Amino acid sequence: MPTTFSEKLANIVSGGLIALVNISVAVSVAALLFAQTDPRFMVPGIAILLVGTLVTGLGGSLFSDYHAVICSPRNGLVPVFAVMVTSIYASFGSEYSIGAEATIIVAIMVATMITGLFLLLLGRLKLGNLVRYIPYPVTGGFFAGIGYIFVEGGLTVASGSSPTFSSLGSSQFVQLVTPAVVLALCLIIGKLFKDNRLSVPGILLASILIFYGVLALAGISRDEAAASGLLPTIESTGALVPVFHFSYLAEVNWVAISGQLSGIVVVALLCSMMLLLDVSGIELISRKDLNPDHELQVMGYTNMVNSLLGGFPGVHDASDTALVDRLGGKDRLTGFVYAALVLIAIFVGAEFMELVPTFILGGLLIYVGLEFLIDWVWKARDELPLSDYVVVILILVVIIFSDILQGVTFGFFVAIILFVVNYSQLSVVKIATNGSDHASNVDRDLETRELLNEEGRRVLILVLQGFIFFGTADKLLSAIRDRINNRHESHFDFLVLDFHHVSQLDTSAIVTFSKLAQLSDQTGFHVVISGADEKSIRQLVKHGFFTLEEQRWERHYKQQIEIAVDWCEQRILRDLDRPDEDYQVELPDLLRRIAYDEADIEKLAEFFVVENREPGEYLFREGDIGESMFFVGSGTAVVVLAIPGEREQILRKYKAGAILGEMAIYTGENRTASIRIEKAATLFRLDKEAMEAMSREFPASTAGLHTYIVRVMSERLSRANRNLSRYV
């Protein structure tokens, strides 16, 4: 779609305005970062910031998936580089020399190169979502600390000296910082208006015009204004490139640079964090999904080129991109205009910056700092939970009285503690039920099923969830102990722990499970674990949790919870002298349950067909016409579901006394699953025609059959409802 003239004009204006703002910010940051250490670092500092602004801005405009993106050096890196510059300067005896300047420049070049390589590596490894693992309160505390540092730096730039309690009473300090504070407040107020696209450049332009108007009316020359601290003094002038001269190499102190390795790593980490956070913000601005891995690679290559030219590391800037979006910038032309004006500023030299009042430079820093503080100290008090907000404030306090690295480290430490405490408060038990409500997937005869329902409270079933570590594992053990000691709770002889919803079992939690093994031996109950992953099972085996042979109190592992519950049911039946492995039901015994008269049993048997089936045979298959129902006399039959490309899945088992296939008799529908013989079985088949004939000759006994089937189905439904109620 062709771009109209108005759209082109909007792109040019937005690119030009954001360039002017970022050039001013670059000079302000250079004053804060370099000039405070030594005024002679001001010019190379401006060069480093502007080259970084040019290269990263151009790289983003050329290769980012969002055409109107603005990339630039990030102000959040200033505290880390401030420590680096100060430390290197101190290694030269806190005296200016070519060696000190060369070492500082090379240290920044190394940091930019490592940052580029790190961003490129993250993008190549497709780790763009790593930022999601950074605790949000730590990010908030970090930005709040940056806000404080910028406010303090802005006051320093505006007044020419670091703010102290004693300086607050100095009239000269107050006179110099008041215009900067007023400017910052005006910029903040300007953003409150609905149409605020021109507020920042408009207020800056008006402030400069008012400043020079006052100087003209008061008859104050530029030299006098500079002597009074109203204008900056830049000793050397000329083109700002090249940033680094090859003659500097002999002067570089590589030992001093190696001592900054930790700070350089922090720069790379912070750049990746800022980039990914801002990419998320730009997605909201552009209403378009971006590929974070692609954006990482773009800034990776860009910063590698940036390093070779001596630039400050930079990444995407969501706030600048939002400003450009409000001004109408929607195309790559915005970025090209932005880069072109920065390039002009680089080749014009530093002389023009002597025209920028110090209160403008200081006010911009104070404005940026107040924006951070408003977002993360004032607004966050209503937006964040109390615990998270406290972490933000604690990090800010540590940064105020120490430095930003210690503040962030402290924040991570507190966030980890809060996470452990909060997570350990969550219940690791997803569902607590018993063997009466959650039976196995094995159907037995109705009398046995009703007996197991009565005895089912002896089986305590706990479905676990989440990540089990020492905190949640200990809470689980305490809950089991409380249940044992609670007289109002029924005693259990079997404990089933289902791990199907457990993401991982921490090594430290194994100690707690060893205590559970001791408790099972002391108190007297069996333990069956189901659904755990191989790693967890290996850990439990290694620590001797499971019993390898039959003991009084056993601890086993089963693949599924239904198999675990079936093991418990078999043990209960064995304890009651009713083992079901060899249990069988004869046809006359089955008919006694339904016959109206004992004399009818022999005649009723004539309606049934006795079938002996071998393992592997199919009684019927899915889709077959349902014309018969079966009673299991002995052996085992299983319901299987065929899944394409996979092994058949066993859904249910039928043992002696169970009824199967009865629904098709009543509904007339085809079979919905297949029945395969698992263990040699004897079955009693009743065909639909035979049942109709039986109903004509023996209506009372046939009614008894229907009643028996209804009782079986009612028991199944009642048990299913009780189990379902645990999940609702």
Side-chain angles (χ1 to χ4, degrees), residues 33 98 114 148 186 260 326 460 485 521 533 536 632 635 714 722:
L33 183 57
I98 295 297
I114 291 178
Y148 165 77
C186 288
Q260 305 305 315
R326 295 191 194 103
L460 174 62
N485 297 328
D521 290 332
D533 57 33
S536 299
V632 181
S714 175
R722 291 196 306 272

Side-chain angles (χ1 to χ4, degrees), residues 250-265:
E251 305 292 336
V252 174
N253 185 343
W254 294 102
V255 175
I257 293 176
S258 65
Q260 305 305 315
L261 183 60
S262 60
I264 292 172
V265 172

Side-chain angles (χ1 to χ4, degrees), residues 431-441 444 449 451-463 480 483-484 489-498 524-530 553 558 560-576 719 722-723 726:
I431 299 166
T433 184
N434 57 54
S436 298
D437 297 339
H438 191 128
S440 68
N441 62 348
R444 298 173 170 90
R449 186 65 262 163
L451 177 62
L452 288 174
N453 286 341
E454 294 176 5
E455 298 289 325
R457 296 194 177 277
R458 293 170 57 188
V459 183
L460 174 62
I461 303 171
L462 301 179
V463 179
I480 295 172
R483 191 179 184 95
I484 292 172
E489 296 283 356
S490 59
H491 176 71
F492 62 88
D493 296 316
F494 303 87
L495 174 63
V496 177
L497 299 176
D498 183 61
F525 59 87
H526 305 280
V527 181
V528 187
I529 288 178
S530 65
W553 303 111
K558 305 296 179 182
Q560 299 175 351
I561 187 172
E562 287 78 12
I563 300 175
V565 176
D566 179 48
W567 183 87
C568 299
E569 291 175 348
Q570 292 182 45
R571 288 299 299 260
I572 290 174
L573 293 173
R574 194 175 75 179
D575 293 344
L576 297 174
R719 180 164 23 98
R722 291 196 306 272
N723 190 29
R726 304 279 183 169

